[in-house]
Amino acid sequence: MKIKKSIYDELDVPRVINAASTKTRIGGSLIRPEAVEAMSRAAESFVRLSDLQVRAGELISEVTGAEAGYVGSGGAASMTLAAAAAIAGDDLGIMERLPDTEGIPNEIVMPKTHRNGYDHALRAAGATIVDAGNNDNYLGTGSNSTEIWELADAISENTVAIAYMQKLYSAPPLEEVIEVAHDHDIPVIVDAAAEVPPRENLSKFIDMGADMVIFSGGKAIRGPQTTGILAGKQEYIRSAALQHLDMHVAPEVWEPPTELFDKDDLAGVPRQGIGRPLKVGKEELVGLIKALELFIDEDQVQLEAEWNARTDIIEDGLTDIKGVSIERRPGGKLMVAPEVFVTIDPEEAQLDAVELVGSLRKENPRIFVGSDDLLDDAFSINSLCLTDDEAAYIVDRIQHYLC
Ligand SMILES: *Cc1c(COP(=O)(O)O)cnc(C)c1O
């Protein structure tokens, strides 16, 4: 079985068949073709980026219900902008000094159980993260044990925000965290980068009262990989914009869009801020706008039917292979789309999961499957980023090693 050639073959770089769902290191998701076309048209003329950010912000407000919205160069970049907004507010002097936070409040409290690699994006703005609570109050039961009083206890006069990593299993409940934060007059930053679909999550955390919510533009929304949505209160979006936009302006004729901020409220022009290295081009902004519009209108039922049909191909193809047991896992909970979870019996299969998954990755095209459970001799094949042909191809390749 042959698989379609790609630009990566022309460049002599091995392409990847993605059965691991939306993972940034292998290209995230496939950007919607309509968004690519819109990006190509965006490249045909100039536009003031602040005007385009206003347009994107209006759409983000509309679909999230937030007061305002902004676009950073990825979910992680939008987290850095959120942290910078929480630390600096409207203070131009602090904006100019970040990430240097000596002598100013810069602590972001996080449930210890929410700490993850992406909190580096918060620290990049100059924040210090303060852990609240324990990993595990009961020994050996998992990692969701931070209690609400422990969060409240970690808040001090140096706290500028609480950060919350949203997953279905996140604890303590976001509503309670928001209540504690607002009692102390500090905002809550919600990392919901991978939490759509369901589409309803676009507005869910804002409805609960979260002050800033982050979504990746390059995961299931299928916008450009280098976009991230920041939705939230006007005061934070204003601060984020001031610290992100290119500020190499001529002050005499500078008329920034008042939807973002009012020039008359500023003592001067805050020059290139901490967010400036996280720039978003006109093409990416247009691509995100188009992708978000399409995501909102997407027929979720039809999409799920496609994912299920693709999962059938994988399930059928891997049934009755010696040393292989499979379990179909529905989407919509911890992962977006359904997947087939494959467990290998190394004795019977005469090959273990590490060898098999490693071999698949070394092929050309490379095949990436979900590898979180390799130590249990298992891996997953997720339908989200595959075509039907690719699903059949993966089955073919796995049979090659195992039959
Ligand atoms: C993917 C992800 C991010 C980063 O989003 P990018 O758009 O890739 O920058 C941040 N936090 C979580 C929990 C994620 O899953």
Side-chain angles (χ1 to χ4, degrees):
M1 178 170 191
K2 268 304 201 197
I3 215 83
K4 219 169 66 199
K5 289 280 174 219
S6 75
I7 179 75
Y8 304 110
D9 299 296
E10 282 170 41
L11 296 172
D12 218 11
V13 176
R15 68 169 282 204
V16 169
I17 291 178
N18 178 6
S21 186
T22 53
K23 298 282 184 288
T24 292
R25 61 193 169 276
I26 49 172
S29 57
L30 291 187
I31 183 169
R32 295 171 196 273
E34 299 91 337
V36 175
E37 201 209 311
M39 288 171 78
S40 155
R41 291 184 53 210
E44 289 169 5
S45 38
F46 293 94
V47 66
R48 198 167 65 156
L49 286 184
S50 51
D51 289 336
L52 199 51
Q53 280 281 6
V54 169
R55 178 64 180 76
E58 282 165 1
L59 175 63
I60 293 168
S61 287
E62 191 186 310
V63 303
T64 63
E67 281 176 22
Y70 199 78
V71 181
S73 58
S78 297
M79 289 168 69
T80 305
L81 295 179
I87 297 170
D90 290 322
D91 190 318
L92 302 195
I94 295 178
M95 288 181 192
E96 193 149 281
R97 291 204 300 280
L98 290 186
D100 177 1
T101 49
E102 207 179 314
I104 57 160
N106 74 326
E107 291 179 2
I108 295 184
V109 171
M110 264 183 106
K112 195 173 195 173
T113 48
H114 292 216
R115 295 293 306 269
N116 68 88
Y118 289 114
D119 56 52
H120 204 147
L122 302 171
R123 288 185 281 124
T128 299
I129 295 186
V130 173
D131 283 334
N134 288 311
N135 277 329
D136 191 338
N137 292 338
Y138 308 105
L139 298 179
T141 57
S143 59
N144 48 11
S145 297
T146 304
E147 292 175 21
I148 195 73
W149 69 267
E150 294 173 307
L151 262 184
D153 185 61
I155 296 173
S156 75
E157 68 276 14
N158 287 322
T159 310
V160 295
I162 294 179
Y164 190 94
M165 206 239 330
Q166 171 61 34
K167 290 280 162 195
L168 263 178
Y169 49 81
S170 294
L174 181 57
E175 291 99 324
E176 292 178 25
V177 173
I178 290 169
E179 202 180 312
V180 164
H182 291 178
D183 280 349
H184 291 81
D185 256 341
I186 52 170
V188 176
I189 300 169
V190 179
D191 174 5
E195 299 314 295
V196 288
R199 201 160 30 208
E200 296 71 42
N201 278 358
L202 281 174
S203 54
K204 186 173 176 184
F205 316 120
I206 292 288
D207 283 349
M208 287 180 185
D211 303 86
M212 288 177 265
V213 181
I214 288 107
F215 299 99
S216 180
K219 291 182 174 165
I221 292 172
R222 293 179 58 201
Q225 261 295 285
T226 46
T227 55
I229 291 170
L230 177 60
K233 303 238 164 87
Q234 186 80 47
E235 61 180 294
Y236 301 113
I237 301 301
R238 174 169 72 229
S239 178
L242 281 167
Q243 299 185 76
H244 178 262
L245 287 169
D246 187 276
M247 289 290 182
H248 206 127
V249 300
E252 302 79 10
V253 287
W254 186 46
E255 291 296 342
T258 50
E259 292 89 343
L260 285 178
F261 42 79
D262 194 338
K263 181 190 173 187
D264 295 337
D265 292 340
L266 302 173
V269 182
R271 296 297 176 180
Q272 317 296 40
I274 186 79
R276 178 62 181 79
L278 312 173
K279 83 172 170 192
V280 186
K282 56 192 182 307
E283 297 82 5
E284 284 79 23
L285 275 160
V286 167
L288 179 73
I289 291 171
K290 193 73 195 172
L292 189 53
E293 284 172 353
L294 291 165
F295 176 70
I296 294 302
D297 284 338
E298 199 161 54
D299 184 343
Q300 209 86 49
V301 174
Q302 189 205 326
L303 201 59
E304 270 162 40
E306 283 172 27
W307 292 337
N308 274 315
R310 203 165 297 148
T311 308
D312 289 344
I313 296 174
I314 299 159
E315 196 178 13
D316 293 347
L318 297 181
T319 305
D320 297 330
I321 297 182
K322 203 165 161 291
V324 175
S325 48
I326 55 173
E327 179 200 333
R328 187 186 180 113
R329 295 187 169 173
K333 289 218 158 69
L334 287 187
M335 61 259 176
V336 172
E339 62 187 26
V340 174
F341 191 76
V342 185
T343 307
I344 305 284
D345 178 338
E347 304 244 306
E348 269 202 60
Q350 295 181 356
L351 181 80
D352 64 24
V354 171
E355 289 169 306
L356 175 59
V357 169
S359 301
L360 291 170
R361 281 195 186 191
K362 286 191 204 84
E363 295 197 352
N364 189 2
R366 297 184 190 281
I367 296 174
F368 271 67
V369 296
S371 53
D372 288 346
D373 297 285
L374 279 182
L375 295 181
D376 294 328
D377 255 312
F379 61 91
S380 57
I381 303 176
N382 190 291
S383 57
L384 184 70
C385 297
L386 293 174
T387 62
D388 290 354
D389 280 350
E390 289 171 344
Y393 179 77
I394 291 175
V395 166
D396 209 55
R397 294 314 302 158
I398 291 178
Q399 285 174 347
H400 164 83
Y401 289 102
L402 289 173
C403 290

